[in-house]
Amino acid sequence: MKDKNIFTGKDYRITVLTDRLIRLEYKADGVFEDRPTKTVVNRDFSKEAGTCEILSRDEENGNLFIETKSLILTYDKKSFSSLGLSISLKEENSVWHYSVVYGNSDRNLFGTARTLDFTDGFTELEPGIFGHNGYAVLDDTKSPVFENGEYIMPSSEGKDLYFFGYGKDFYGGLKAFYHLCGKNPMVPRYALGNWWSRYCRYTEESYGKLLDNFEKEQIPLSVAVIDMDWHITNVDSKYGTGWTGYTWDKECFPDYRRFLKTLKKRNLAPTLNLHPADGIRGFESMYERVAKRYGADYKNEEPVEFDMADPKFREVYFEEVLHPYEDAGVAFWWIDWQQGTGENGAVDPLFLLNHYHYKDMEDRGKRPMIFSRYAGPGSHRYPVGFSGDTRTTWRSLAYQPYFTATASNIGYGWWSHDIGGHMLGDKDNERLIRWIQFGVFSPVMRIHSNNSIFVNKEPWALPEPYHTIMAEFLRLRHRLIPYIYSELEKSHNEDLPFIRPVYYEYPEKREAFEVSNEYFFGSSLAVCNITEPEDKQLKLAKTSAFIPSGKWYDIFSGHIYSGEGRKRKIYRDIEHIPVLLKDGGIVPESLEDKENGTANPKNMRILFGAGKSGEYELYEDDGISTEYEKGSFVTTRIVMKREDSGECKIVIGPARGDLSLIPKKRSYELWLYGLLDASEFITNGKGVKTDYDEERHILKIIIEERSVSEEISIKIKDAALATNDKKAEVIKLLDRAWIEMESKDRIFWALVENEGNEEAFIARLKELDVAENLKDALGEIFE
C-alpha cells in the first residue's frame, strides 16, 4: 500500500485501502500488525486499478480528517471512542460512530454462524460486511496471526478494525473482501452433485446394495459419505470412548481397499467422518508407527494427544494416519469437530483443522476440499461448510434458505446442510420433499439422517407421489451441474457469489430485504423456496416472494411473470417450487442425469429466457486437478440475440481451450421459454428439428451431434412472444382444489362472463364468498 494512504501516530494507524474500505488500528504500545491473520491475508490494494484516491487530508484542533470519493473520516487521534472516531458515507447520508457498548455494525445484514447444531430454526448470526445503514465493521483484533508457518494468538492489546462503507454496492464490497481475505476456491466438480450420507452402521455389502438400488432407480450420486461407523467404535473403556477412531472396522469392511475401489468404479468420491479430539490411541492399527515417530511411549500405549497447533503432531497425523487412506481412495475428509473454540487463549482447533487439512492437500498438488464447520471470517477459503446436526422440523427448514443466502455477506458461499433434517422432529414426507427441493437449489446437495430405523430417506422407501418427485429432483441436480460449475468459476475468478440475496440485485426495493426464502441461484435463476405445509383445501403451498422487475419464466410451469418488481405470495403444488429464469438468462444443463459422476456431458440442454438478448459462457475443466490454474480449461460462448423485428438468433460458439477435456461432439436441446410456435428457421447445419410445448410456451430446438469445434447458428424468423393462458391456469387450479363444487362453478362462470376483462373478473372474485387464500392464489395468475 502506498505511503500516502497510510496515516500514523505513535499509537494509531489509519490505512485507506479503497475509497470505501479503511483499516483502523489503535495500539497503545505502538506495535502495529503487518502479519497475515486468520481472516486477513492481503492488505495490498496498490495494484487494484482505481480503488482509492485521497481527495483531502487535513488536521485541525488535534483532529484528523481524511476524505475519499465516498467517505469522510474524522478522528481525534486518541483511543477509539464514539465521540472521537466517525466516518460519514457521502452517498448514503449516514454516519458511523465507533462504539464499544453497542458493537460496530449497526443494523447489520449479518453473515453466518459456526453451526446449526441443537437449533430448531433461528440462531444468532455473526456480523457480515454490509448493513442497512450502508456500513459494517470487521473486527480483526483477536484473530490469530500467521508467523513462520504457524498460527499464534496476538500478544498486543488494542483494536484492529476494517470499516466497509460500500452502501448498496454489495458486489463491490465482496470484491474488496475477497481481495483482503482471500479468493473463493474452485471445489472439485464432484462436490456439486448429489451426496448420500447417513449416520448408519453400513457394511460393505449393505452399502453396495444401497448403491445398486440407486442405479436401478436411475438416480445419480457423486459423493459417498461414510459416517463414523467406518472405524472401530466399540473400544476397551481404558481408552475412553470410540467417538474418535482411525482403524477400519473389519466386521463391516473386511477389505477397505476393495470397498474404496468399488466406489471409484461407480464414479463416486468417498469421504469419511472424523472426530479427531481424542488423538491416536493404543488400539489403532497404526498406533505403534505413529507413537514411535512422534516420540510417545508406545510400549505403555501412551496416547498421541490431538494438537493441531503442534507441527510434529500434524506431520504424523497426516503422513501416517490419513495419507495411506487417501492413497487407497478417500477423496476428502469430513472433519466433525464439536469440542469448542479453544481454551486458555489457544487458537481455535476448528480453524487449525480446516486450514491445515486444506493446506495439506494443496501442498501435494491436489485440488483441495474439506467438509467442516465454519470457523469465523476467512473460512470461505476452506470449503465445503458443514452446518451441523439439524433438527427435523418445519422451523429448521424455514431457516435454512435465509441462513444460506445471508452467508454471502461474509463471503461464505458453499454451505452443505443435513437435507431432510438429522435428528428429533417427526416424520413428514411433504416436508422432506420441500427440503429436497431446497437442497437441489442450494450450494451443496447432501441428504443426511440419523440411524433410526424409522428415518428412511431412500427414494424407494417413500410412497407415491413423493418417491417420483424426489427422484426427479435428484436427477435435476445433476442436470444443473454445467451451470453450477460455470457459476463456481465466476465466483472464483470474478468474485461473484453463487448464492445472492435478493437485495444484492434490487437494493432500492424495501421488499427485496423481506423475503427470507428467496435468493438468486447464480446469474440467471431466482429460487423461491417453500418451507411450510400445503393448504389442505387448495392442495398448494405458498411462499412469500419478490418477483423481480422485467420478465421471468418459471422453469417448471412456464408461467410468465412481468412487472416492475413486487412482493406477493406464490403458490405451488408438491411437485414444484418457483424457480424463475430471467429474460435473457441462459442456463446450460446436462442430459446425462441417470448415472453417477459429474463428467463434462456429451448431450446438453440449454434454457433461454427468450424475450430478451443475453449471453453466457460455459466453463469446463477436468473437475479434479489444479491444471486449470495453468490454463487447462474450455469455454464455450452462448449468445441469444433478439431483434426488434421479432427475429431471434442463437449462436453456440466453438469451444475454446483444451478440447481434450470435453467430448469431441455434442448434441443440444435448446429450450426457448416464452415463445409461440415458430415455422421458419435458418441454420448453418443439418440435423435440426423442432417441437413445441404449448402448455408451457417452450419452443424446443433439437440439434443432432456436432463437433464442439464448430459454431452452431440458429435463426428464428418469427420468434413471437407468448402470453399466459390464464383461463387454463384458473381451471387447473380449481380442478386441483378440494373445495365445494359450487364454489368452483361460481368462480368459473365469473371468469367466463368477464372473459377479456381481467379487472372485472378480479372485482367479482373479491365479492364471492370463498376462502381468501383461494382468491390470493387466483390473483397470482392475473398479476
Side-chain angles (χ1 to χ4, degrees):
M1 180 59 61
K2 297 176 182 179
D3 288 343
K4 69 176 184 178
N5 290 355
I6 302 176
F7 306 86
T8 60
K10 67 180 180 65
D11 49 12
Y12 72 85
R13 183 168 66 173
I14 309 295
T15 308
V16 181
L17 299 170
T18 78
D19 70 331
R20 288 182 173 271
L21 174 59
I22 299 178
R23 186 184 187 192
L24 308 164
E25 294 174 274
Y26 183 86
K27 298 292 179 72
D29 59 8
V31 178
F32 302 109
E33 189 57 74
D34 293 317
R35 295 168 293 183
T37 72
K38 175 184 80 73
T39 300
V40 174
V41 297
N42 178 25
R43 303 182 184 97
D44 184 2
F45 282 75
S46 60
K47 295 180 181 179
E48 297 295 295
T51 56
C52 183
E53 179 183 356
I54 306 296
L55 298 183
S56 66
R57 174 201 184 281
D58 295 303
E59 293 192 45
E60 183 178 332
N61 298 325
N63 290 323
L64 173 66
F65 301 91
I66 303 171
E67 182 178 5
T68 73
K69 185 175 73 172
S70 303
L71 308 174
I72 300 174
L73 177 144
T74 303
Y75 175 45
D76 65 3
K77 301 183 184 180
K78 300 176 183 178
S79 179
F80 293 168
S81 67
S82 58
L83 295 177
L85 177 60
S86 64
I87 299 177
S88 301
L89 284 71
K90 295 179 181 179
E91 294 178 10
E92 285 73 24
N93 195 29
S94 63
V95 181
W96 167 78
H97 292 271
Y98 175 82
S99 174
V100 176
V101 177
Y102 299 107
N104 285 295
S105 297
D106 185 39
R107 300 185 68 217
N108 195 266
L109 286 167
F110 299 109
T112 194
R114 187 179 181 96
T115 181
L116 293 177
D117 286 330
F118 311 114
T119 63
D120 187 11
F122 172 80
T123 191
E124 186 175 355
L125 301 179
E126 297 175 16
I129 62 167
F130 303 116
H132 286 283
N133 291 341
Y135 57 75
V137 173
L138 182 64
D139 190 342
D140 202 35
T141 305
K142 297 181 180 179
S143 289
V145 296
F146 191 65
E147 183 177 272
N148 299 323
E150 301 295 325
Y151 280 95
I152 58 175
M153 295 305 294
S155 58
S156 179
E157 297 292 327
K159 283 293 178 182
D160 190 356
L161 311 176
Y162 291 83
F163 177 87
F164 285 78
Y166 280 85
K168 295 172 182 175
D169 181 11
F170 299 107
Y171 296 117
L174 281 174
K175 193 169 190 66
F177 173 84
Y178 287 130
H179 184 94
L180 181 72
C181 301
K183 284 279 196 180
N184 245 329
M186 290 283 290
V187 298
R189 190 176 174 101
Y190 61 68
L192 307 181
N194 295 317
W195 300 27
W196 178 259
S197 176
R198 183 174 184 179
Y199 177 32
C200 176
R201 195 168 187 262
Y202 285 113
T203 65
E204 182 177 9
E205 181 181 5
S206 66
Y207 208 88
K209 289 180 179 178
L210 171 83
L211 297 179
D212 287 343
N213 282 331
F214 272 104
E215 289 181 12
K216 289 176 185 177
E217 295 268 327
Q218 295 186 311
I219 298 173
L221 300 172
S222 64
V223 174
V225 182
I226 318 297
D227 210 321
M228 62 177 287
D229 287 292
W230 67 272
H231 64 73
I232 296 171
T233 58
N234 185 17
V235 301
D236 192 310
S237 60
K238 71 179 181 179
Y239 298 114
T241 72
W243 202 249
T244 296
Y246 300 98
T247 302
W248 283 83
D249 186 340
K250 290 187 177 181
E251 287 187 11
C252 297
F253 301 96
D255 186 342
Y256 74 84
R257 291 181 178 85
R258 178 181 64 203
F259 174 64
L260 293 173
K261 284 180 181 178
T262 300
L263 295 180
K264 184 176 180 179
K265 287 180 181 178
R266 291 180 185 259
N267 290 321
L268 296 173
T271 184
L272 305 180
N273 175 277
L274 297 177
H275 293 102
D278 288 337
I280 298 93
R281 293 168 289 171
F283 65 86
E284 302 287 8
S285 62
M286 74 292 294
Y287 168 75
E288 183 173 333
R289 188 172 68 249
V290 168
K292 285 180 178 179
R293 184 168 172 181
Y294 187 73
D297 181 0
Y298 68 92
K299 292 182 179 179
N300 291 309
E301 293 190 335
E302 178 188 3
V304 178
E305 301 288 354
F306 169 83
D307 185 2
M308 287 303 285
D310 179 359
K312 190 173 183 180
F313 172 82
R314 295 198 304 268
E315 180 182 290
V316 175
Y317 171 72
F318 286 123
E319 294 182 8
E320 299 292 349
V321 181
L322 301 189
H323 290 179
Y325 292 153
E326 291 182 41
D327 293 341
V330 174
F332 63 100
W333 297 95
W334 173 8
I335 306 163
D336 201 350
W337 179 264
Q338 298 169 290
Q339 280 71 36
T341 59
E343 298 177 354
N344 302 319
V347 178
D348 183 355
L350 175 61
F351 170 73
L352 295 178
L353 279 162
N354 294 351
H355 173 79
Y356 287 115
H357 265 267
Y358 195 88
K359 194 76 168 60
D360 173 68
M361 296 183 76
E362 189 174 56
D363 289 346
R364 289 180 290 138
K366 294 187 174 185
R367 188 186 297 195
M369 190 178 92
I370 63 170
F371 181 40
S372 185
R373 288 172 173 82
Y374 175 80
S379 292
H380 67 280
R381 301 192 302 270
Y382 315 106
V384 166
F386 168 48
S387 67
D389 298 334
T390 54
R391 295 197 179 202
T392 311
T393 65
W394 282 102
R395 285 187 298 273
S396 185
L397 168 59
Y399 188 61
Q400 287 187 9
Y402 169 78
F403 181 83
T404 304
T406 304
S408 293
N409 292 335
I410 197 65
Y412 199 71
W414 296 96
W415 269 124
S416 169
H417 303 296
D418 288 353
I419 296 301
H422 171 68
M423 60 185 187
L424 304 177
D426 56 8
K427 183 170 182 175
D428 189 323
N429 287 329
E430 180 192 0
R431 184 184 60 223
L432 173 59
I433 293 302
R434 293 307 189 192
W435 223 318
I436 294 288
Q437 292 164 339
F438 159 66
V440 167
F441 288 96
S442 62
V444 176
M445 171 56 186
R446 178 181 54 87
I447 301 171
H448 186 67
S449 61
N450 64 25
N451 58 357
S452 170
I453 63 171
F454 301 108
V455 178
N456 296 291
K457 294 176 185 173
E458 295 84 354
W460 52 89
L462 302 180
E464 293 297 347
Y466 309 110
H467 172 191
T468 297
I469 298 169
M470 180 177 180
E472 183 51 37
F473 267 89
L474 293 176
R475 295 185 193 107
L476 172 59
R477 176 66 185 201
H478 275 240
R479 291 201 297 273
L480 287 166
I481 287 174
Y483 172 71
I484 299 173
Y485 198 69
S486 297
E487 295 295 318
L488 168 64
E489 185 270 338
K490 291 179 185 177
S491 175
H492 174 66
N493 284 320
E494 302 177 32
D495 300 321
L496 293 171
F498 175 46
I499 302 295
R500 309 171 188 183
V502 178
Y503 49 79
Y504 278 24
E505 294 287 339
Y506 295 90
E508 302 299 332
K509 289 283 190 176
R510 172 183 52 81
E511 298 90 342
F513 292 83
E514 298 173 346
V515 282
S516 60
N517 280 349
E518 183 179 358
Y519 46 73
F520 290 99
F521 189 72
S523 57
S524 294
L525 296 173
V527 176
C528 312
N529 292 285
I530 292 177
T531 61
E532 62 180 64
E534 71 174 12
D535 182 282
K536 297 307 179 185
Q537 288 187 312
L538 290 182
K539 294 299 175 183
L540 299 171
K542 67 180 184 297
T543 186
S544 183
F546 176 80
I547 302 172
S549 58
K551 279 191 175 181
W552 294 76
Y553 310 88
D554 188 294
I555 67 169
F556 297 116
S557 70
H559 183 84
I560 303 166
Y561 294 91
S562 59
E564 297 303 317
R566 65 196 183 280
K567 181 183 174 185
R568 76 145 12 258
K569 292 182 178 67
I570 294 182
Y571 295 79
R572 290 295 185 275
D573 58 32
I574 188 62
E575 290 94 345
H576 306 103
I577 61 171
V579 178
L580 309 183
L581 171 64
K582 76 177 182 181
D583 215 7
I586 298 173
V587 176
E589 293 185 338
S590 168
L591 288 178
E592 293 155 14
D593 60 354
K594 295 179 175 62
E595 295 182 353
N596 292 342
T598 58
N600 296 323
K602 184 177 181 180
N603 306 293
M604 298 193 70
R605 175 185 295 154
I606 306 176
L607 313 183
F608 296 85
K612 188 178 178 181
S613 297
E615 62 180 81
Y616 195 84
E617 185 172 84
L618 172 67
Y619 173 87
E620 298 167 287
D621 57 29
D622 65 16
I624 191 69
S625 78
T626 58
E627 289 299 306
Y628 69 93
E629 296 175 345
K630 303 173 185 176
S632 183
F633 57 83
V634 185
T635 59
T636 304
R637 191 164 177 258
I638 305 166
V639 177
M640 176 177 59
K641 178 71 173 176
R642 281 204 63 103
E643 304 290 350
D644 293 339
S645 63
E647 182 179 281
C648 180
K649 183 178 181 181
I650 294 176
V651 176
I652 302 174
R656 306 289 189 190
D658 184 355
L659 301 189
S660 68
L661 297 171
I662 63 175
K664 293 181 179 179
K665 293 184 177 182
R666 273 183 169 151
S667 68
Y668 295 93
E669 291 182 9
L670 311 182
W671 284 23
L672 281 69
Y673 282 77
L675 292 187
L676 295 174
D677 199 359
S679 56
E680 189 174 350
F681 296 84
I682 301 173
T683 179
N684 66 342
K686 297 180 180 179
V688 177
K689 59 182 180 180
T690 65
D691 190 15
Y692 187 68
D693 184 333
E694 186 172 359
E695 181 180 357
R696 298 191 292 166
H697 323 296
I698 303 173
L699 177 62
K700 301 178 181 180
I701 303 172
I702 296 91
I703 304 170
E704 293 180 0
E705 282 189 358
R706 300 269 190 96
S707 169
V708 296
S709 300
E710 67 178 79
E711 180 180 285
I712 298 174
S713 175
I714 304 284
K715 186 182 290 184
I716 308 165
K717 299 290 288 184
D718 51 346
L721 299 178
T723 57
N724 294 319
D725 186 343
K726 297 178 181 179
K727 182 177 180 180
E729 290 190 38
V730 169
I731 292 172
K732 186 175 181 179
L733 188 153
L734 292 175
D735 186 54
R736 185 180 186 89
W738 286 20
I739 59 174
E740 298 86 353
M741 290 299 177
E742 185 179 357
S743 295
K744 294 185 180 185
D745 287 337
R746 286 203 303 269
I747 294 169
F748 174 74
W749 288 113
L751 179 65
V752 171
E753 291 166 2
N754 295 284
E755 196 160 359
N757 189 341
E758 293 182 6
E759 290 186 4
F761 169 70
I762 295 298
R764 177 66 182 127
L765 181 63
K766 290 179 179 178
E767 295 172 353
L768 294 176
D769 185 18
V770 296
E772 292 300 316
N773 58 354
L774 174 59
K775 294 179 183 179
D776 192 50
L778 290 165
E780 179 192 345
I781 296 171
F782 289 88
E783 288 192 10

